[in-house]
Amino acid sequence: MKHRPVLDVSELPTYAFGARSPMWWGTLGFCVLEGTGFALAAGAYLYLAFLNPQWPLSAPPPDLIWSSLVTVVLIVSIIPNYLSKKFAEKEDLPRVQVYLIVVLAFGLAAIGLRFLEFGGLHVKWDQNAYGSLLWALLGLHTVHIITDVVDTIVLTVLMFTRHAHGKRFSDVGDNAFYWNFVVLSWLPIYALLYWGPRL
Amino acid sequence: MRLRPSAAALLLLPLTGCKGWQSALDPHGPGARSLETLFWIFLAVLATVWALTMLGLIASLRARRSAEADPLSDDPGTEAGMGRAVTLLVALTALTVLALTGISYAYQKRFGDKREDVLTIKVTGHQWWWQIDYEDAQANRSFTTANEIHIPVGEPVRLKLESSDVIHSFWVPSLMGKMDNIPGRQNVIEMQADREGIYRGQCAEFCGWQHAHMSMLIVAKPKSEFDAWRDRQIASAAPPADDERRRGEQVFLTSPCIMCHSVRGTSAGGKVGPDLTHVGSRLTLAAGTLQNTRGNLAAWIVDPQRIKPGTNMPLIQVEPQDLNALVSYLEGLK
Amino acid sequence: MSEAYAAPDPKELRDHQVDGPELTTRLARTWGTKRGLIGALSTVDHKIIGRRYIVTAFLFLFLGGLAAAAMRLQLARPESRLIGPDLYNQLFTMHGTTMMFLFAVPVMEAFAVYLVPLMLGTRNIAFPRLNAFSYYVYVFGGLMIWVAFMLNIGADVGWFAYVPLSGPEFSPGKRADIWAQMITFTEVSALAVAVEIVVTVPKQRAPGMTLDRIPLFVWSVFVTSFLIIFAMPAVMLASTFLILDRLIGTHIFNPAEGGDALLWQHLFWFFGHPEVYIIFLPATGMVSAIITTFSRRKTFGYLALVLSLIATGFLSFGLWVHHMFTTGLPQLGASFFTASSMMIAIPNGIQIFCWIATLWDGRPVFRTPLLFVLGFFFIFVAGGLSGIMLASVPLDTQVHDTYFVVAHFHYVLIGGAVFPLLGAVYYWYPKIVGRLMDERIGRWHFWLAFVGFNLAFFPMHITGLMGMPRRVYTYQHEMGWDNLNLLSSVGALVFFLSFVVFLWNVITSARKGAVAGDNPWQAGTLEWATSSPPPPQNFDRIPVVTNREPLWAERETLSVAAGLSVDNRELIVSTVSEARADLRESSPEPSVWPFIAAVATGITFIGSIFTPWAAVWGSLIVGVTLIAWFWPKGAKEDEK
Ligand code: HEA
Ligand code: HEA
Ligand code: CUA
Ligand SMILES: [Cu+2]
């Protein structure tokens, strides 16, 4: 077929931030499917909690101390995370570098605290169904923290090398988006696992 | 041993291959009967829907526009007409499914309440046979049997369904719909037979190797006969009547059989396999796999794995002369 | 907000500076796939991957079909000793698992991967490397379970693997683990493709392709992708829980320790019901495409069709309990699911009626694709109506887990998905291969398939009502099911033959078929605007769309957008609703890392069947491969 040009796209930018970027939609897609996974896992936990006359099964509720610290660290990390995104949109490289490192520090702290948290559970995964689901939910979330921390490490390294330009800034925005998801998905799980049994 | 006439007639049933003794289309109880009616109602409605749809489809295959017509063009009149037709059909569809939902619910409610004061039987699924416990307020009138449920005609009985291992499903199509036996839970259904007869049922949920050979018989008989049967089943096994059988009993009691099987009144108290106290009175062996004949009984003991590969009864070496005695003994457990 | 407008690079060649064959060859060089093994493993061309996907899925159909043939041989006679229980259980598990997870879902995604970018007028799918990865993961999952079957450790617990039968106590050995990991493999791949589609459709449409101009096939896979995103996590969670119970001793499904056997069923069917629409909805997209083209009339009720796709998608999440009516759930709750199941007849009815209306006011052209669609109507509607029977709680207590259900789901799966799919093969084969399939053999194929299918599966309704449960390796003569089963087996043989005819047609037409040209069926959508088979860049210039059927609106010339780079892999990113051109983004170059990452993922999954530590060490390796995959080495944009 013969072509009849009716539109000139040569002046269009080659990348953009937020919902204009396909990567943002991809990240959203993964957040939604992983969020569904969390919701269903929490549903399974609640299902067994309602089915069993006693819950938690033959175990005191898990300690609050470490998990609450994790929660605080995650919530506070939202601030540097937000700033990393904001300065990425301004393509302000030095500040992006700084805030990425701060976010990373928070992420690593959260992982460290999470391991202490596992120590404060009074039940093993192979003891009963309560223990199994407790470990499964925590494990699932821990995998998400680790994934995003690794992602952030890679991005940080990129931002300190010759790759730090253009579309990379958009990637910083998407990374921040995903970290928000990791933090937000934690809050209901925290409430469910740590406060639910105390009600 | 001579069989009582009615039992003998019943025994012939499976041999003559009576169709419908395990069929949802040949109901013999109120439950299955209303389900059959419901089925025909649905079929009539839905077959009509299908036929009308196909008629519409065939009618639509005539060419109604010229070969040159622009595929993007449309005639507003036709378009509006088709719009109205589709709307109407969708409305009809909605009404039909609404009606069907209502009818379905009305029938479902019939199976809702279950009486507590009727004969209650616990049916436990095992890989791959059924344990049947007749419960009674008087402990000494409770008893256990296997793969064969006798019920009085014309009375509802209550079945408590449980499982000892995996999920099974209790299904006797000519009497009632099915219900699952799920480990860790108990389901209850009510069942009733209107006429004397033998109805076959079969496990409906896939449960492993011998899911295909996990059937049971429902024997419905008049109340008086049922009571007589129950009294005989409550009794412990009668002592062996002759030397051959006495020797058979010895063979049995000194063999590994007793690790798995019980014969009330003897020291055999195993719980892994079917209760054999009155095994001789049952119509089939190994959950409907074999007719209960002397030859089949011997064949089963000699090599259960050939008859029912994977069954949880192992092959146990029995000397040939012992085998005869053993079979005579078991046969005599009426 | 600052925006980095890339100043047009004077050295960079743009597509308004060249034209004709030169443009074609230059673009083909930019978008092409290198020769050789590394080139083949590195490709990110959605057409090459889509083609592989389609062929692989059909190979699995044949394997699954061979398993079915073996089952029908065994069931042809009562108490046949041909196949014992162990093998039979593996056969139906492999059959069901293969058909659902390795054939039906992947084949629909395969067509989407091939067609969606072409129909949208773009040059590649979003995240093409992820696309390559998803294909390899899928192949490894399928290979694993079939190799295990050959080694006599095939899965044997049915395609929905109910616990406790599939749990640690009653399925010792590795069979159930292999099944569960295969699920993980295929779900990873399905989810990856779903995310690609969910991004490609809103973001990469040709300028001007507003929401009401998206081809119905694209709508159908778009909705399907959402179903995948919301449904598949359930089965991944279920299979992961099962693996945990089996390998590290958790008790999630163990009633003795506070777990529950029905939890599995809820999780599985929360996925399993949407799953059947994941298979069916893309097939409706194929039906829409074929009906429109062969009626020579634009689709009647486009909006209604789109809305019923969406409605079906929503409703499908409220039906899962209809697979559990005999588990003893509370009565009232169960009847809610009767109502919701029956309600789905409404969107399905809308679709059927709109298609019939399109045919009504059209000028039907009876070529093989349309024949298969007519077969679809005949069979699918019957299957849908038997679904309405199953939806009734009391009726289902009689027919659940019998051959009546087997009949229902083959009517809907084969009638509703395989028939449209075969039509789709005849329809798009010329685009993919460049030659038309033989019409005469096509007719033979259709009639053999149609007659064979009904002969094989209609009698199953009756055997089911006569009391025959499913998944039995044999039955006794006294049951009176002999003749009906024999009939089914004969029918299955005829149906099998039809596939041999089909295979023959596919193979011979590739060499001897009539040359297709760009648009052999005079269809209206964009995939027909380019050559057959399409060049690596799909389109020399990105089309600009002004009508739902662009090629019917403009028959001689194609409105296009100009200004994209010729030497870089650039494509247009558009806005979500109006599809205005928004960005010139570059699409990733070929890379072998997705393949390596898939190998590492495969090793991790398989290793974790044997030791939980494989999951830990394996993820490290996978992590490394993923970093290599995303590391921007040599990407052209970095060298500026
Ligand atoms: C492509 C796959 C597909 C499709 C589209 C469907 C469609 C439907 N299915 Fe089916 N189903 C399966 C695949 C599918 N199913 C599979 C694989 C299983 C078994 C799984 C297993 O156990 O292994 C199953 C099992 C299954 C069950 C469980 C049975 C049991 O195990 O006991 C039920 C119960 O409600 C059911 C119902 C329905 C309904 C109501 C529809 C509806 O969507 C149908 C709607 C369509 C129509 C109704 C026809 C068109 C409409 C009209 C022409 C309008 C006029 C209509 C009326 C007035 C009613 N299906
Ligand atoms: C899309 C899905 C799909 C498809 C297409 C089919 C196709 C077929 N199925 Fe299906 N079937 C299922 C999905 C499907 N099935 C599912 C989900 C189950 C439930 C499993 C379970 O209970 O767990 C099931 C169960 C099932 C059973 C019940 C088993 C049982 O409960 O015991 C039976 C029995 O007859 C059967 C038969 C067939 C037949 C004869 C075909 C035929 O259509 C097959 C047609 C044949 C071919 C497609 C092969 C052609 C091959 C070639 C041309 C190759 C030639 C090449 C060489 C020789 C090299 N199937
Ligand atoms: Cu028990 Cu099937
Ligand atoms: Cu369903």
Side-chain angles (χ1 to χ4, degrees):
Chain A
M1 279 177 114
K2 275 212 281 299
H3 286 179
R4 180 160 48 86
V6 295
L7 183 70
D8 182 7
V9 294
S10 49
E11 297 300 314
L12 294 180
T14 60
Y15 66 93
F17 293 90
R20 288 178 66 194
S21 139
M23 189 52 99
W24 185 90
W25 288 82
T27 313
L28 179 66
F30 279 104
C31 290
V32 169
L33 77 89
E34 286 156 28
T36 311
F38 279 128
L40 288 163
Y45 177 94
L46 282 172
Y47 175 87
L48 289 186
F50 282 112
L51 207 63
N52 283 286
Q54 189 209 343
W55 193 267
L57 291 163
S58 62
D63 294 345
L64 278 177
I65 166 84
W66 300 117
S67 57
S68 305
L69 279 177
V70 170
T71 313
V72 171
V73 166
L74 287 182
I75 290 178
V76 175
S77 75
I78 297 263
I79 299 166
N81 190 44
Y82 168 75
L83 292 172
S84 77
K85 172 167 173 279
K86 201 178 117 196
F87 288 110
E89 281 167 5
K90 294 192 173 141
E91 309 209 349
D92 179 343
L93 184 58
R95 289 221 168 84
V96 168
Q97 290 171 336
V98 169
Y99 286 111
L100 274 179
I101 289 181
V102 177
V103 172
L104 203 53
F106 274 98
L108 290 170
I111 295 180
L113 289 168
R114 178 54 59 78
F115 276 94
L116 296 173
E117 184 183 342
F118 274 113
L121 307 178
H122 302 293
V123 60
K124 285 290 256 302
W125 64 87
D126 56 0
Q127 211 163 315
N128 55 37
Y130 165 68
S132 308
L133 277 181
L134 184 62
W135 280 77
L137 264 163
L138 274 183
L140 196 62
H141 189 260
T142 309
V143 169
H144 281 77
I145 302 191
I146 294 178
T147 310
D148 197 60
V149 166
V150 172
D151 203 31
T152 313
I153 293 176
V154 174
L155 206 55
T156 313
V157 173
L158 286 180
M159 294 318 272
F160 278 95
T161 59
R162 70 189 164 91
H163 304 291
H165 57 78
K167 189 151 177 282
R168 279 306 87 66
F169 286 108
S170 173
D171 293 349
V172 172
D174 295 329
N175 183 58
F177 177 17
Y178 192 75
W179 182 253
N180 283 338
F181 165 72
V182 172
V183 174
L184 279 182
S185 60
W186 168 247
L187 300 179
I189 298 177
Y190 172 65
L192 181 69
L193 297 184
Y194 290 88
W195 292 97
R198 291 187 160 79
L199 287 181
Chain B
M1 263 304 258
R2 226 175 54 87
L3 277 168
R4 291 192 321 106
S6 70
L10 295 176
L11 189 58
L12 287 176
L13 248 177
L15 296 175
T16 54
C18 167
K19 290 219 179 74
W21 64 321
Q22 178 175 319
S23 170
L25 298 180
D26 184 11
H28 289 274
R33 205 183 338 278
S34 40
L35 291 176
E36 198 210 11
T37 316
L38 184 62
F39 170 76
W40 291 117
I41 296 175
F42 266 69
L43 186 67
V45 173
L46 297 174
T48 312
V49 171
W50 184 83
L52 291 177
T53 313
M54 289 307 113
L55 282 180
L57 177 67
I58 292 167
S60 76
L61 295 179
R62 219 184 73 207
R64 282 191 181 73
R65 51 171 67 208
S66 76
E68 299 81 45
D70 176 4
L72 291 176
S73 71
D74 51 30
D75 168 53
T78 318
E79 209 76 357
M82 294 199 303
R84 276 194 301 274
V86 169
T87 314
L88 178 72
L89 288 171
V90 172
L92 281 177
T93 304
L95 284 179
T96 314
V97 294
L98 201 67
L100 290 176
T101 308
I103 296 172
S104 165
Y105 189 61
Y107 273 81
Q108 186 184 353
K109 282 221 316 223
R110 299 190 182 179
F111 305 110
D113 36 69
K114 294 171 188 85
R115 271 155 290 182
E116 297 270 336
D117 56 339
V118 296
L119 176 65
T120 300
I121 304 167
K122 191 169 91 185
V123 180
T124 310
H126 293 263
Q127 281 179 319
W128 291 275
W129 58 281
W130 303 92
Q131 177 186 332
I132 317 290
D133 292 286
Y134 281 75
E135 299 187 337
D136 201 288
Q138 279 168 273
N140 63 353
R141 287 190 58 82
S142 303
F143 65 91
T144 301
T145 174
N147 301 331
E148 204 172 293
I149 304 177
H150 290 239
I151 57 172
V153 168
E155 282 180 27
V157 287
R158 197 161 162 263
L159 300 177
K160 299 202 286 193
L161 307 176
E162 293 181 4
S163 167
S164 74
D165 38 46
V166 303
I167 303 178
H168 305 272
S169 189
F170 181 88
W171 185 38
V172 186
S174 21
L175 298 184
M176 189 58 211
K178 63 181 72 63
M179 185 64 93
D180 294 352
N181 302 59
I182 303 173
R185 292 173 178 248
Q186 187 186 68
N187 281 324
V188 178
I189 58 168
E190 214 172 76
M191 189 168 82
Q192 179 177 335
D194 299 333
R195 272 200 288 133
E196 211 175 326
I198 300 187
Y199 308 101
R200 192 174 186 273
Q202 188 164 355
C203 174
E205 182 65 62
F206 177 62
C207 52
W209 275 46
Q210 284 301 336
H211 164 63
H213 288 129
M214 183 168 167
S215 49
M216 84 299 275
L217 295 181
I218 310 297
V219 181
K221 43 174 112 171
K223 177 84 173 137
S224 57
E225 281 182 43
F226 168 75
D227 285 337
W229 174 85
R230 177 156 64 171
D231 289 339
R232 281 198 307 281
Q233 295 284 323
I234 290 169
S236 295
D242 54 33
D243 282 351
E244 165 96 329
R245 290 187 177 151
R246 263 188 289 280
R247 207 164 68 79
E249 181 177 40
Q250 277 318 301
V251 174
F252 183 73
L253 293 177
T254 53
S255 75
C257 310
I258 55 168
M259 286 166 16
C260 301
H261 292 286
S262 299
V263 175
R264 274 174 280 134
T266 74
S267 58
K271 297 279 178 226
V272 177
D275 183 297
L276 298 181
T277 310
H278 298 287
V279 65
S281 72
R282 301 210 269 266
L283 296 171
T284 65
L285 292 173
T289 312
L290 300 170
Q291 296 292 316
N292 190 358
T293 63
R294 186 178 169 89
N296 282 341
L297 188 54
W300 171 255
I301 295 167
V302 168
D303 194 355
Q305 297 295 330
R306 196 185 57 80
I307 291 166
K308 204 168 165 179
T311 177
N312 286 321
M313 168 148 157
L315 189 161
I316 287 166
Q317 290 295 340
V318 186
E319 298 303 320
Q321 65 279 23
D322 289 352
L323 182 65
N324 261 327
L326 180 60
V327 171
S328 300
Y329 167 66
L330 291 174
E331 243 192 326
L333 294 173
K334 297 281 174 184
Chain C
M1 199 163 102
S2 87
E3 256 181 19
Y5 281 92
D9 181 350
K11 294 195 299 293
E12 197 181 33
L13 191 64
R14 298 298 180 94
D15 62 10
H16 48 243
Q17 293 160 323
V18 277
D19 202 4
E22 196 197 341
L23 177 62
T24 311
T25 31
R26 274 174 170 275
L27 278 169
R29 206 177 312 135
T30 305
W31 287 86
T33 291
K34 285 204 192 60
R35 294 182 167 278
L37 184 64
I38 301 292
L41 293 177
S42 307
T43 188
V44 290
D45 185 334
H46 75 98
K47 297 179 293 302
I48 298 181
I49 293 167
R51 218 161 54 204
R52 288 181 191 162
Y53 239 124
I54 296 175
V55 171
T56 313
F58 269 95
L59 287 179
F60 282 119
L61 167 70
F62 293 157
L63 284 175
L66 289 172
M71 294 192 300
R72 281 315 327 168
L73 276 182
Q74 162 71 9
L75 294 177
R77 287 181 306 117
E79 279 164 288
S80 166
R81 295 220 159 233
L82 207 59
I83 292 174
D86 180 28
L87 182 58
Y88 187 86
N89 293 351
Q90 291 182 58
L91 282 174
F92 75 71
T93 306
M94 293 302 293
H95 169 71
T97 304
T98 302
M99 289 300 194
M100 300 303 269
F101 294 110
L102 300 175
F103 160 65
V105 176
V107 84
M108 296 303 170
E109 296 195 320
F111 269 89
V113 163
Y114 192 97
L115 290 172
V116 164
L118 287 166
M119 290 185 151
L120 294 180
T122 184
R123 287 185 169 156
N124 207 346
I125 199 163
F127 317 128
R129 292 186 180 177
L130 187 63
N131 193 29
F133 174 77
S134 82
Y135 171 73
Y136 296 120
V137 169
Y138 156 59
V139 172
F140 293 154
L143 273 182
M144 177 187 71
I145 195 164
W146 273 92
V147 167
F149 174 70
M150 306 295 173
L151 299 176
N152 195 27
I153 41 172
D156 60 353
V157 284
W159 86 276
F160 41 78
Y162 278 0
V163 293
L165 184 61
S166 61
E169 201 181 338
F170 300 100
S171 286
K174 294 292 172 205
R175 292 179 163 194
D177 302 298
I178 289 170
W179 179 86
Q181 283 307 47
M182 187 279 315
I183 297 296
T184 319
F185 272 105
T186 47
E187 307 313 280
V188 166
S189 103
L191 283 165
V193 176
V195 171
E196 293 153 20
I197 304 257
V198 158
V199 176
T200 310
V201 176
K203 295 303 288 179
Q204 288 189 191
R205 302 196 308 273
M209 188 181 281
T210 48
L211 292 180
D212 59 348
R213 292 181 188 151
I214 298 178
L216 282 164
F217 176 76
V218 175
W219 266 117
S220 74
V221 294
F222 186 52
V223 173
T224 303
S225 300
F226 280 101
L227 292 195
I228 292 180
I229 285 177
F230 287 110
M232 295 259 176
V235 72
M236 274 192 75
L237 201 66
S239 67
T240 308
F241 283 173
L242 179 61
I243 288 272
L244 293 178
D245 267 15
R246 293 180 54 91
L247 292 179
I248 63 167
T250 57
H251 298 286
I252 299 167
F253 301 123
N254 177 5
E257 293 292 347
D260 182 44
L262 284 190
L263 175 58
W264 168 270
Q265 299 191 14
H266 283 294
L267 284 174
F268 188 89
W269 291 118
F270 186 80
F271 144 80
H273 186 83
E275 160 91 346
V276 307
Y277 293 100
I278 288 169
I279 295 169
F280 175 59
L281 291 187
T284 68
M286 296 169 169
V287 171
S288 293
I290 293 174
I291 290 212
T292 307
T293 299
F294 291 92
S295 300
R296 295 283 180 266
R297 198 214 113 104
K298 64 179 184 189
T299 332
F300 176 81
Y302 175 89
L303 182 63
L305 284 168
V306 173
L307 290 178
S308 46
L309 283 172
I310 297 171
T312 310
F314 270 106
L315 283 175
S316 71
F317 285 94
L319 315 183
W320 80 95
V321 170
H322 72 203
H323 296 272
M324 301 166 63
F325 282 159
T326 64
T327 54
L329 295 172
Q331 296 279 305
L332 198 69
S335 39
F336 165 80
F337 289 93
T338 296
S340 61
S341 303
M342 291 205 187
M343 217 148 75
I344 213 153
I346 297 172
N348 274 294
I350 295 179
Q351 289 179 297
I352 301 273
F353 303 140
C354 285
W355 287 323
I356 292 183
T358 310
L359 282 167
W360 180 282
D361 184 45
R363 185 182 176 75
V365 182
F366 294 98
R367 303 295 292 271
T368 314
L370 188 63
L371 285 187
F372 274 99
V373 166
L374 296 179
F376 149 83
F377 279 106
F378 187 93
I379 299 170
F380 170 75
V381 172
L385 296 173
S386 69
I388 299 295
M389 295 193 177
L390 296 174
S392 156
V393 179
L395 257 187
D396 189 57
T397 63
Q398 280 290 27
V399 287
H400 172 66
D401 268 336
T402 69
Y403 266 83
F404 190 90
V405 174
V406 176
H408 158 70
F409 66 70
H410 285 90
Y411 264 71
V412 277
L413 282 167
I414 298 183
V418 176
F419 269 62
L421 178 73
L422 292 170
V425 171
Y426 280 87
Y427 182 57
W428 279 299
Y429 184 94
K431 179 53 58 187
I432 300 175
V433 178
R435 289 172 187 274
L436 288 153
M437 283 175 77
D438 188 272
E439 191 65 24
R440 208 170 53 90
I441 307 183
R443 278 163 201 275
W444 271 98
H445 172 202
F446 169 74
W447 284 109
L448 276 176
F450 185 75
V451 171
F453 171 82
N454 286 294
L455 214 54
F457 293 99
F458 187 77
M460 292 185 187
H461 293 105
I462 306 171
T463 30
L465 288 165
M466 285 175 64
M468 181 164 172
R470 61 195 282 204
R471 298 172 160 184
V472 291
Y473 76 101
T474 190
Y475 53 91
Q476 282 148 321
H477 163 70
E478 295 83 61
M479 306 309 302
W481 305 328
D482 304 11
N483 291 339
L484 289 168
N485 271 298
L486 187 60
L487 202 59
S488 283
S489 295
V490 171
L493 188 73
V494 176
F495 195 40
F496 187 93
L497 280 182
S498 80
F499 277 93
V500 176
V501 172
F502 169 67
L503 200 59
W504 174 255
N505 200 353
V506 166
I507 292 171
T508 53
S509 301
R511 302 179 58 233
K512 294 193 293 208
V515 173
D518 290 5
N519 190 359
W521 312 113
Q522 284 103 52
T525 41
L526 282 180
E527 78 272 28
W528 305 102
T530 181
S531 56
S532 313
Q537 68 273 29
N538 288 356
F539 302 93
D540 289 348
R541 293 195 187 89
I542 303 297
V544 173
V545 173
T546 52
N547 192 290
R548 192 178 300 147
E549 307 283 349
L551 306 192
W552 282 350
E554 294 183 276
R555 284 161 179 273
E556 304 305 322
T557 58
L558 190 65
S559 304
V560 294
L564 289 185
S565 169
V566 176
D567 300 326
N568 282 322
R569 296 184 164 222
E570 271 184 3
L571 42 73
I572 294 180
V573 170
S574 42
T575 59
V576 173
S577 64
E578 287 113 79
R580 271 184 292 101
D582 189 29
L583 306 171
R584 287 180 296 124
E585 236 195 19
S586 47
S587 176
E589 300 281 330
S591 159
V592 75
W593 284 103
F595 173 73
I596 300 176
V599 172
T601 312
I603 293 174
T604 308
F605 286 167
I606 296 176
S608 63
I609 294 176
F610 299 94
T611 156
W613 288 106
V616 178
W617 299 116
S619 341
L620 279 179
I621 308 174
V622 173
V624 171
T625 57
L626 290 183
I627 291 171
W629 163 350
F630 287 107
W631 196 265
K633 62 202 148 312
K636 288 186 188 165
E637 56 165 318
D638 272 338
E639 276 144 26
K640 279 181 211 151

